[in-house]
Structure formats: structure tokens, C-alpha cells
């Protein structure tokens, strides 16, 4: 009898995780306006994007990345565009990028000297923790960012 009880508990918890993932997939679909920031002693990065999660489990992203040096008047803006696939597993959003394009908008002449694009992956992806997801808000935690990625429905 005890094993039957444990089996029922395991099945219920597995069903609960599957139900949560299905709800998350449904809520995630659509367009989101997102922001993320990374501040280090030598530089600051601010990313503003529009993410579009399609029912076909494809996604499209476009936005602007701004790099600044603290205390300096110089800033460099990049256009960011990409696409890939997405899936939800429990409270995780798993992204696999097919294509990622980054273009220097403000100082393209610097690319020949600094070669900043070498630091930007051509094919990115990863797993993000879903901190909050409802009809209007999406908050994601990336391992390499101290602050959450904040999004609101477009």
C-alpha cells in the first residue's frame, strides 16, 4: 500500500510539472518588450529587445545593445537580430539560437580596430529560469547576469 501511495504522489507531481510547463508555454507565446543590464567596473551593457515567441516554438528577437565605459562620454550602439527555437521544461525556458546578427550602428569604423564582434557568439542559446510569468509580465534569470531580465507584453 505504501508503494501505491508513493507511486500516486510521483505521478501527481509529474502531472503538476507537465501542467505548469503547458501553462507556461501558452502564457509565453506572443510579443514581449525586454530589458537586461550588465554593469562591470570597466564597462556597462544595456540590452533592449522585442522577443516574439511563436506557437511553432520558433522565436524572433530584435533590439539594441548599448555599451558604455563608466566615466567616459563614449557609447557604442549595436543592432541585434536573431531567431531560433524555444521550449519550456517546468520553470525553465530553453533557447537555441539559429542565427544571431550584431551590427555596430554608431562607430562601424571601430570594428576593424577593436574587433568587438569576436566576443559576440554567432549561435547562442541557453537555459533561463522563469521567475515570473503572467499575462503581462515575464521575468527571467540568466546565470551570467546579476539582475533579472524584465519583460512586459507588447
Amino acid at each position: 500500500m505504501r508503494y501505491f501511495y508513493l507511486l500516486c504522489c510521483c505521478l501527481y507531481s509529474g502531472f503538476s510539472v507537465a501542467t505548469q510547463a503547458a501553462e507556461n508555454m501558452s502564457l509565453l507565446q506572443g510579443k514581449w518588450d525586454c530589458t537586461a543590464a550588465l554593469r562591470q567596473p570597466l564597462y556597462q551593457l544595456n540590452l533592449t529587445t522585442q522577443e516574439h515567441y511563436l506557437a511553432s516554438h520558433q522565436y524572433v528577437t530584435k533590439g539594441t545593445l548599448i555599451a558604455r565605459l563608466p566615466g567616459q562620454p563614449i557609447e557604442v550602439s549595436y543592432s541585434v537580430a536573431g531567431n531560433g527555437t524555444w521550449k519550456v521544461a517546468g520553470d525553465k525556458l530553453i533557447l537555441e539560437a539559429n542565427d544571431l546578427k550584431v551590427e555596430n550602428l554608431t562607430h562601424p569604423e571601430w570594428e576593424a580596430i577593436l574587433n568587438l564582434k569576436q566576443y559576440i557568439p554567432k549561435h547562442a542559446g541557453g537555459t533561463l529560469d522563469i521567475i515570473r510569468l503572467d499575462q503581462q509580465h515575464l521575468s527571467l534569470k540568466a546565470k551570467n547576469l546579476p539582475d533579472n531580465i524584465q519583460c512586459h507584453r507588447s
Side-chain angles (χ1 to χ4, degrees):
M1 186 67 164
R2 180 180 345 159
Y3 295 113
F4 178 75
Y5 175 74
L6 288 173
L7 179 61
C8 288
C9 288
C10 289
L11 287 175
Y12 177 75
S13 66
F15 176 76
S16 175
V17 168
T19 301
Q20 177 188 7
E23 288 174 4
N24 285 348
M25 281 192 279
S26 175
L27 280 171
L28 188 63
Q29 292 176 23
K31 292 183 180 180
W32 297 91
D33 293 324
C34 300
T35 59
L38 178 61
R39 287 171 179 71
Q40 297 291 321
L42 298 177
Y43 62 90
Q44 297 176 353
L45 302 174
N46 293 302
L47 179 64
T48 304
T49 62
Q50 183 177 70
E51 308 291 328
H52 190 183
Y53 296 100
L54 305 166
S56 63
H57 292 271
Q58 300 292 310
Y59 76 87
V60 178
T61 184
K62 62 180 178 177
T64 304
L65 173 68
I66 298 174
R68 292 185 181 97
L69 300 175
Q72 301 295 320
I74 300 170
E75 79 176 28
V76 182
S77 294
Y78 290 88
S79 134
V80 178
N83 63 70
T85 60
W86 66 273
K87 68 180 177 178
V88 173
D91 63 349
K92 309 279 185 206
L93 172 59
I94 302 165
L95 301 174
E96 185 64 41
N98 297 330
D99 189 31
L100 182 61
K101 294 180 182 165
V102 179
E103 182 181 343
N104 187 322
L105 298 173
T106 51
H107 300 286
E109 69 278 6
W110 290 2
E111 290 305 316
I113 299 166
L114 300 176
N115 195 15
L116 297 175
K117 285 187 180 180
Q118 72 179 330
Y119 302 107
I120 301 167
K122 300 250 184 289
H123 300 283
T127 301
L128 303 166
D129 294 328
I130 300 172
I131 305 302
R132 178 181 179 187
L133 176 57
D134 58 40
Q135 291 292 335
Q136 297 301 317
H137 300 95
L138 171 62
S139 181
L140 301 166
K141 177 67 179 154
K143 291 178 186 174
N144 58 343
L145 293 177
D147 297 323
N148 292 342
I149 300 165
Q150 299 296 334
C151 307
H152 64 277
R153 184 80 63 185
S154 294

